[in-house]
Coordinates of all heavy atoms in Angstrom, one line a residue:
Chain B
I962 N -29.9 43.0 -71.0 CA -28.7 43.3 -71.9 C -29.2 43.9 -73.2 O -30.3 43.5 -73.7 CB -27.9 42.0 -72.1 CG1 -27.3 41.5 -70.8 CG2 -26.8 42.2 -73.1 CD1 -26.6 40.2 -70.8
L963 N -28.5 44.8 -73.7 CA -28.9 45.5 -74.9 C -29.3 44.6 -76.0 O -28.6 43.7 -76.4 CB -27.7 46.4 -75.4 CG -28.1 47.4 -76.6 CD1 -29.1 48.4 -76.1 CD2 -26.8 48.0 -77.1
G964 N -30.6 44.8 -76.5 CA -31.1 44.0 -77.6 C -31.7 42.7 -77.2 O -32.1 41.9 -78.0
Q965 N -31.7 42.4 -75.9 CA -32.2 41.1 -75.4 C -33.4 41.3 -74.5 O -33.8 42.4 -74.2 CB -31.1 40.3 -74.7 CG -29.9 40.0 -75.6 CD -28.9 39.1 -74.9 OE1 -29.2 38.5 -73.9 NE2 -27.7 39.1 -75.3
Q966 N -34.0 40.2 -74.1 CA -35.2 40.2 -73.3 C -34.8 40.7 -71.9 O -33.7 40.4 -71.4 CB -35.8 38.8 -73.2 CG -36.7 38.5 -74.3 CD -36.8 37.0 -74.6 OE1 -36.0 36.4 -75.2 NE2 -37.9 36.4 -74.0
M967 N -35.8 41.3 -71.2 CA -35.6 41.6 -69.8 C -35.7 40.3 -69.0 O -36.6 39.5 -69.2 CB -36.7 42.6 -69.4 CG -36.6 43.0 -68.0 SD -36.9 44.8 -67.8 CE -38.4 44.9 -68.7
E968 N -34.8 40.1 -68.1 CA -34.8 38.8 -67.3 C -34.9 39.1 -65.8 O -34.2 39.9 -65.3 CB -33.6 38.0 -67.7 CG -33.5 37.6 -69.1 CD -32.3 36.7 -69.4 OE1 -31.3 37.2 -69.7 OE2 -32.5 35.4 -69.4
F969 N -35.7 38.3 -65.2 CA -35.9 38.4 -63.7 C -34.6 38.0 -63.0 O -33.9 37.0 -63.3 CB -37.0 37.4 -63.3 CG -37.2 37.2 -61.8 CD1 -37.9 38.1 -61.1 CD2 -36.7 36.1 -61.2 CE1 -38.1 37.9 -59.7 CE2 -36.9 35.9 -59.9 CZ -37.6 36.8 -59.1
L970 N -34.3 38.7 -61.9 CA -33.1 38.4 -61.1 C -33.6 37.9 -59.7 O -33.3 36.8 -59.3 CB -32.2 39.6 -60.8 CG -31.4 40.1 -62.0 CD1 -30.6 41.3 -61.6 CD2 -30.4 39.0 -62.4
V971 N -34.4 38.7 -59.0 CA -34.7 38.4 -57.7 C -36.0 39.1 -57.2 O -36.4 40.2 -57.8 CB -33.6 38.8 -56.7 CG1 -33.4 40.3 -56.8 CG2 -33.7 38.3 -55.3
N972 N -36.7 38.5 -56.3 CA -37.9 39.1 -55.6 C -37.6 39.2 -54.1 O -37.1 38.2 -53.5 CB -39.1 38.2 -56.0 CG -40.3 38.5 -55.0 OD1 -40.8 37.6 -54.4 ND2 -40.7 39.7 -55.0
F973 N -38.0 40.2 -53.5 CA -37.7 40.5 -52.1 C -38.9 41.0 -51.3 O -39.6 41.8 -51.8 CB -36.6 41.6 -52.0 CG -35.9 41.9 -50.7 CD1 -34.9 41.1 -50.2 CD2 -36.3 43.0 -50.0 CE1 -34.3 41.4 -49.0 CE2 -35.7 43.3 -48.8 CZ -34.7 42.5 -48.3
Y974 N -39.1 40.4 -50.2 CA -40.3 40.7 -49.4 C -40.0 40.5 -47.9 O -39.4 39.5 -47.5 CB -41.5 39.9 -49.8 CG -42.7 40.0 -48.8 CD1 -43.4 41.2 -48.7 CD2 -43.0 38.9 -48.0 CE1 -44.5 41.3 -47.8 CE2 -44.1 39.0 -47.1 CZ -44.8 40.2 -47.0 OH -45.9 40.3 -46.2
N975 N -40.4 41.5 -47.1 CA -40.2 41.3 -45.6 C -38.8 41.0 -45.2 O -38.6 40.1 -44.3 CB -41.2 40.3 -45.1 CG -41.5 40.4 -43.6 OD1 -41.3 41.5 -43.0 ND2 -41.9 39.3 -43.0
G976 N -37.9 41.6 -45.9 CA -36.5 41.4 -45.5 C -35.8 40.1 -46.0 O -34.7 39.8 -45.7
K977 N -36.6 39.4 -46.9 CA -36.0 38.1 -47.4 C -36.1 38.0 -48.9 O -37.1 38.5 -49.5 CB -36.8 37.0 -46.8 CG -36.8 36.8 -45.3 CD -37.7 35.7 -44.8 CE -37.9 35.8 -43.3 NZ -39.1 35.0 -42.9
V978 N -35.2 37.3 -49.5 CA -35.3 36.9 -50.9 C -36.3 35.8 -51.0 O -36.2 34.7 -50.3 CB -33.9 36.4 -51.4 CG1 -34.1 35.8 -52.8 CG2 -32.9 37.5 -51.4
M979 N -37.4 36.0 -51.8 CA -38.5 35.0 -51.9 C -38.2 34.1 -53.1 O -38.5 32.9 -53.0 CB -39.8 35.8 -52.1 CG -40.2 36.7 -51.1 SD -40.3 36.0 -49.5 CE -41.8 35.0 -49.7
E980 N -37.6 34.7 -54.1 CA -37.4 33.9 -55.3 C -36.2 34.5 -56.1 O -36.1 35.7 -56.1 CB -38.7 33.9 -56.2 CG -38.7 33.0 -57.4 CD -40.0 33.1 -58.2 OE1 -40.8 33.9 -57.8 OE2 -40.1 32.3 -59.2
K981 N -35.4 33.7 -56.7 CA -34.3 34.2 -57.5 C -34.0 33.3 -58.6 O -34.4 32.1 -58.6 CB -33.0 34.4 -56.6 CG -32.5 33.0 -56.0 CD -31.2 33.3 -55.2 CE -30.8 32.0 -54.6 NZ -29.6 32.1 -53.7
S982 N -33.4 33.9 -59.7 CA -33.1 33.1 -60.9 C -31.7 32.7 -60.9 O -30.9 33.1 -60.0 CB -33.4 34.0 -62.1 OG -32.5 35.0 -62.3
K983 N -31.3 32.0 -61.9 CA -29.9 31.5 -62.1 C -29.0 32.7 -62.3 O -27.8 32.6 -62.1 CB -29.8 30.5 -63.3 CG -30.4 29.2 -63.0 CD -30.2 28.2 -64.2 CE -31.0 28.7 -65.4 NZ -31.0 27.7 -66.5
L984 N -29.6 33.8 -62.8 CA -28.7 35.0 -63.1 C -28.3 35.7 -61.8 O -27.4 36.5 -61.8 CB -29.5 36.0 -63.9 CG -29.9 35.6 -65.4 CD1 -30.7 36.7 -66.0 CD2 -28.7 35.3 -66.2
F985 N -29.0 35.4 -60.7 CA -28.7 36.0 -59.4 C -27.5 35.3 -58.8 O -27.6 34.4 -58.0 CB -29.9 36.0 -58.5 CG -29.8 36.9 -57.3 CD1 -29.9 38.3 -57.5 CD2 -29.5 36.4 -56.1 CE1 -29.8 39.1 -56.4 CE2 -29.4 37.3 -55.0 CZ -29.5 38.6 -55.1
K986 N -26.3 35.7 -59.2 CA -25.1 35.0 -58.8 C -24.7 35.3 -57.4 O -25.3 36.2 -56.7 CB -23.9 35.4 -59.7 CG -24.2 35.3 -61.2 CD -23.0 35.7 -62.1 CE -22.8 37.2 -61.9 NZ -21.7 37.7 -62.8
D987 N -23.8 34.5 -56.9 CA -23.4 34.7 -55.5 C -22.8 36.1 -55.2 O -22.8 36.5 -54.1 CB -22.3 33.6 -55.1 CG -22.8 32.2 -55.1 OD1 -24.1 32.1 -55.0 OD2 -22.1 31.3 -55.1
Q988 N -22.3 36.7 -56.3 CA -21.8 38.0 -56.1 C -22.8 39.1 -55.9 O -22.5 40.3 -55.7 CB -20.9 38.4 -57.4 CG -19.7 37.5 -57.6 CD -20.0 36.3 -58.5 OE1 -21.1 35.8 -58.4 NE2 -19.1 35.9 -59.3
F989 N -24.1 38.7 -56.1 CA -25.2 39.7 -56.0 C -25.8 39.6 -54.6 O -25.9 38.5 -54.0 CB -26.3 39.3 -57.0 CG -25.9 39.7 -58.5 CD1 -24.6 39.6 -58.9 CD2 -26.9 40.0 -59.3 CE1 -24.4 39.8 -60.3 CE2 -26.7 40.3 -60.7 CZ -25.4 40.2 -61.1
S990 N -26.3 40.7 -54.1 CA -27.0 40.7 -52.9 C -28.0 41.9 -52.9 O -27.8 42.8 -53.6 CB -26.1 40.8 -51.6 OG -25.4 42.1 -51.7
V991 N -29.1 41.7 -52.2 CA -30.2 42.7 -52.1 C -30.5 43.0 -50.6 O -30.4 42.1 -49.8 CB -31.4 42.3 -52.9 CG1 -31.2 42.4 -54.4 CG2 -32.0 41.0 -52.4
E992 N -30.9 44.2 -50.4 CA -31.4 44.5 -49.0 C -32.2 45.8 -49.1 O -32.1 46.6 -50.1 CB -30.3 44.7 -48.0 CG -29.3 45.8 -48.3 CD -28.2 46.0 -47.2 OE1 -28.3 45.2 -46.2 OE2 -27.4 46.8 -47.4

Side-chain angles (χ1 to χ4, degrees):
Chain B
I962 294 174
L963 188 64
Q965 297 184 23
Q966 279 156 273
M967 183 136 51
E968 294 184 277
F969 170 82
L970 287 176
V971 66
N972 163 237
F973 188 82
Y974 167 70
N975 198 26
K977 298 176 197 165
V978 170
M979 304 299 290
E980 188 178 3
K981 61 183 180 180
S982 73
K983 289 183 293 187
L984 295 179
F985 194 76
K986 305 179 294 184
D987 291 342
Q988 298 89 327
F989 288 33
S990 63
V991 290
E992 63 176 356

